[in-house]
Amino acid sequence: MNDALSPSRRPGIRAAMFVDFDNVFTGLQALDPLAAKRFAEDPKHWADALSAGGSGEDARRFLIRNCYLNPVVYSKYRTYWTRAGFRVIDCPSLTQRGKSSTDINLVLDAMDALSGNVGIEEFFIASADADFTSLIQRFRAADRMTTVIAAGAVAFAYREMADHVVESHDFVAILNGSTVEPVHTVASGKQPAVQPAGKAKAKSASPAIREVLGFVRAAPGPVNGAMVAHRALTAEPSLKTDWGGWGKFGTWVSQIGQGVEYSPAQGGWVWDAKRFSNEDLPTPADLLPGIEEQVTRVTDVPALSAAQFRQMFQAMAARLREHPLNRTELSRLVRDDCVTADQPVSRNAVSFVLQGLAYVNFPLTDEATAEGLAAAWTANVEELCRVALLEFDAAEKLAVRRWASGGLLDA
């Protein structure tokens, strides 16, 4: 056989994709119905974006593309996926409660791929279902890279077990983008290992970068990323679409250089490297009292103060009264409103809260009040604590309730 056609010589990372269609589609519908439609009807768009991870070894070759769906509910989408090169596996409901066979079929196929002789190097699981945590553990034990594509709230243990996570808002951005940009998955708590080439110099003199440089260099310490993002967007509103082709704020601000450093920790922080370092960043223990810090550390709830939560709920209610918004747009506007009110929160934090509200089926309509939003979100936090097996006495439960609700609920 010609060496040029030998599998060992073909370029790209050998990867496998397993899509829990029902889980991702319903999660996207709660976040952004238009993104859900594009996910279901144009899988080639985002699959190509994930394949084009960069040049050379960074690109991916999906040797396996499997989609698991309930044919009773979603059969109309089958043709889109088969045309995009996916193998569609029917997973009808097997119980009276509607539980499908997706989990077992996906796990069996994934284990077959793991033990096969092809040598899959990276496994993608498109699902926010924490039931796949044990599967991710098996991949890691076999020294395989793992990437989770989330469309909804992701359990802390599931997130931490994966090597990379494509967050909900990033996936929505891919689906709603007008062009297919290479996707560089980001390890939890780390910056992208690979970034698009040739963009830093082209943007070096932009108004947004000049504004950020002046703001960060004059700051008395590391600055909350939401404040920096707000400054950049005010100076250059066109960035709000896709951050100049970089996809998201963290990636954009990281490529500025010139002594500007960024960390995604606790919602994101930006600082002047000539005067500060990672050691100057606040920790959850610095930001919150004991019991609240414990909740954020174990459940991944954003490390915000009660005042920040209160401002977020008030801004959400005000925006929803103005006109209907999809969750992607709402998260950006609420982030900006909180910054303007001197209670800065990151867009990731707002997105996390919106996912929590979707989890408890809270309707985001013009009738939503700050108190109603606070009550629904607090119920979600209490459920996260229960699932994480956090045990509190009566006084601690009251403290968590007051904190998560921003003081908007009666004791």
Side-chain angles (χ1 to χ4, degrees), residues 21 30 43 78 91 130 252 279:
F21 182 95
R78 167 187 285 276
C91 300
W252 176 82
E279 297 179 356

Side-chain angles (χ1 to χ4, degrees), residues 298-330:
V298 175
T299 66
D300 220 20
V301 167
L304 304 179
S305 67
Q308 288 173 309
F309 276 126
R310 181 170 60 253
Q311 181 59 49
M312 186 189 300
F313 299 135
Q314 291 171 342
M316 280 185 190
R319 288 293 181 178
L320 289 169
R321 283 195 300 270
E322 292 177 358
H323 51 81
L325 294 165
N326 64 50
R327 294 177 188 270
T328 304
E329 184 68 8
L330 182 60

Side-chain angles (χ1 to χ4, degrees), residues 45-322:
H45 171 86
W46 59 266
D48 286 348
L50 292 173
S51 297
S55 60
E57 294 184 350
D58 294 316
R60 299 182 183 88
R61 296 176 55 240
F62 283 105
L63 305 185
I64 297 173
R65 295 187 183 190
N66 286 0
C67 172
Y68 304 82
L69 59 74
N70 186 332
V72 177
V73 182
Y74 300 117
S75 61
K76 65 180 181 179
Y77 297 118
R78 167 187 285 276
T79 301
Y80 298 109
W81 290 74
T82 55
R83 290 180 62 184
F86 280 79
R87 171 179 170 240
V88 178
I89 297 91
D90 288 336
C91 300
S93 299
L94 301 178
T95 68
Q96 292 182 343
R97 294 184 178 181
K99 177 67 174 177
S100 76
S101 57
T102 290
D103 290 9
I104 186 63
N105 281 311
L106 191 155
V107 169
L108 288 173
D109 288 343
M111 291 304 297
D112 284 345
L114 179 63
S115 60
N117 58 9
V118 175
I120 299 295
E121 299 168 283
E122 185 173 13
F123 286 83
F124 280 70
I125 304 295
S127 177
D129 191 343
D131 288 348
F132 294 121
T133 303
S134 296
L135 180 63
I136 298 292
Q137 288 176 324
R138 293 296 297 270
F139 293 152
R140 287 181 65 90
D143 194 25
R144 302 298 200 276
M145 294 293 292
T146 58
T147 297
V148 167
I149 300 175
V154 182
F156 184 79
Y158 185 38
R159 175 189 299 276
E160 290 301 302
M161 187 56 62
D163 291 302
H164 309 95
V165 177
V166 179
E167 300 286 357
S168 299
H169 57 274
D170 292 327
F171 194 41
V172 168
I174 295 170
L175 293 166
N176 287 341
S178 58
T179 59
V180 178
E181 293 287 346
V183 172
H184 310 273
T185 52
V186 182
S188 178
K190 298 180 181 180
Q191 283 303 101
V194 182
Q195 296 180 346
K199 293 186 179 180
K201 291 183 178 179
K203 292 289 184 179
S204 61
S206 74
I209 289 180
R210 290 197 298 270
E211 175 67 22
V212 168
L213 287 173
F215 182 48
V216 172
R217 288 170 178 172
V223 185
N224 185 290
M227 298 181 68
V228 179
H230 183 70
R231 290 275 191 134
L233 291 173
T234 300
E236 196 171 341
S238 63
L239 287 175
K240 72 178 182 179
T241 55
D242 65 349
W243 287 102
W246 294 91
K248 57 184 179 179
F249 168 73
T251 310
W252 176 82
V253 78
S254 296
Q255 56 82 33
I256 291 177
Q258 304 184 59
V260 172
E261 295 288 344
Y262 170 78
S263 170
Q266 302 307 320
W269 293 88
V270 185
W271 67 94
D272 179 4
K274 294 181 179 179
R275 297 181 295 140
F276 307 105
S277 68
N278 273 295
E279 297 179 356
D280 297 301
L281 299 183
T283 66
D286 298 326
L287 301 171
L288 300 170
I291 193 66
E292 290 88 338
E293 188 274 331
Q294 183 182 356
V295 172
T296 62
R297 179 160 42 84
V298 175
T299 66
D300 220 20
V301 167
L304 304 179
S305 67
Q308 288 173 309
F309 276 126
R310 181 170 60 253
Q311 181 59 49
M312 186 189 300
F313 299 135
Q314 291 171 342
M316 280 185 190
R319 288 293 181 178
L320 289 169
R321 283 195 300 270
E322 292 177 358

Side-chain angles (χ1 to χ4, degrees), residues 332-410:
R332 182 183 65 81
L333 293 174
V334 169
R335 185 274 312 276
D336 291 346
D337 292 343
C338 289
V339 171
T340 302
D342 290 328
Q343 293 293 345
V345 300
S346 71
R347 191 169 179 180
N348 283 347
V350 181
S351 296
F352 191 97
V353 172
L354 288 172
Q355 289 172 11
L357 293 171
Y359 185 80
V360 297
N361 298 316
F362 184 87
L364 295 178
T365 67
D366 58 0
E367 297 180 355
T369 64
E371 291 76 14
L373 291 161
W377 163 249
T378 301
N380 178 68
V381 172
E382 291 171 341
E383 176 63 12
L384 291 174
C385 292
R386 186 192 67 80
V387 172
L389 303 179
L390 289 174
E391 297 182 359
F392 301 135
D393 59 28
E396 291 171 332
K397 289 180 180 179
L398 181 58
V400 171
R401 181 178 175 82
R402 286 174 172 166
W403 162 67
S405 69
L408 291 171
L409 302 183
D410 294 333

